[in-house]
């Protein structure tokens, strides 16, 4: 999940990386400033990597991303924001333990 600025109201929202398009505005980690997407290159990795952070976010190459994913089978029932919130809540005991 990547954080972008909504084109309609300028608010930050999370979208699946596969939905990112040229012209979207990503959120920079240090300042929260907007960075326009100029090109997109797909990378595929084998395996699953899920870092756990206290906030559920991580900065990768200067861009704020979520450590959680959106599950397509829940899209008709739960918004991206609700899915992130539920995943973060579900991992709260683990984060507290660590």
């Amino acid at each position: 999940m990547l954080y972008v600025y909504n084109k309609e109201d300028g608010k930050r929202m999370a979208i699946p990386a596969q939905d990112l398009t040229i012209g979207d505005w990503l959120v920079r980690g240090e300042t929260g400033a907007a960075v326009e997407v100029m090109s997109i290159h797909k990378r595929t990795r084998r395996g699953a990597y899920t870092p756990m952070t206290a906030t559920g976010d991580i900065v990768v190459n200067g861009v704020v991303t979520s450590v959680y994913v959106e599950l397509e089978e829940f899209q008709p029932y739960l918004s991206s924001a609700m899915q992130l919130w539920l995943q973060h809540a579900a991992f709260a005991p683990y984060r507290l333990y660590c």
Side-chain angles (χ1 to χ4, degrees), residues 4-13:
V4 298
Y5 287 108
N6 187 322
K7 292 177 183 177
E8 296 171 9
D9 61 13
K11 292 184 180 179
R12 185 176 107 156
M13 65 180 203

Side-chain angles (χ1 to χ4, degrees), residues 2 5-6 14 17 19-20 32-33 42 44-46 52 59 62 66 70-71 74-75 78 85 89-91 93 98:
L2 297 170
Y5 287 108
N6 187 322
D19 293 347
L20 189 69
K42 261 188 170 179
T44 303
R45 303 272 191 259
R46 295 171 104 194
M52 296 299 291
V59 178
S66 173
E70 182 178 62
L71 302 172
F74 292 118
Q75 282 180 342
L78 298 171
W85 184 88
F91 281 107
C98 291

Side-chain angles (χ1 to χ4, degrees), residues 8-49:
E8 296 171 9
D9 61 13
K11 292 184 180 179
R12 185 176 107 156
M13 65 180 203
I15 64 168
Q18 68 191 24
D19 293 347
L20 189 69
T21 59
I22 293 174
D24 284 343
W25 292 88
L26 295 167
V27 178
R28 284 199 57 89
E30 303 83 38
T31 62
V35 177
E36 186 176 5
V37 175
M38 304 299 281
S39 64
I40 297 173
H41 304 279
K42 261 188 170 179
R43 299 286 187 254
T44 303
R45 303 272 191 259
R46 295 171 104 194
Y49 305 95

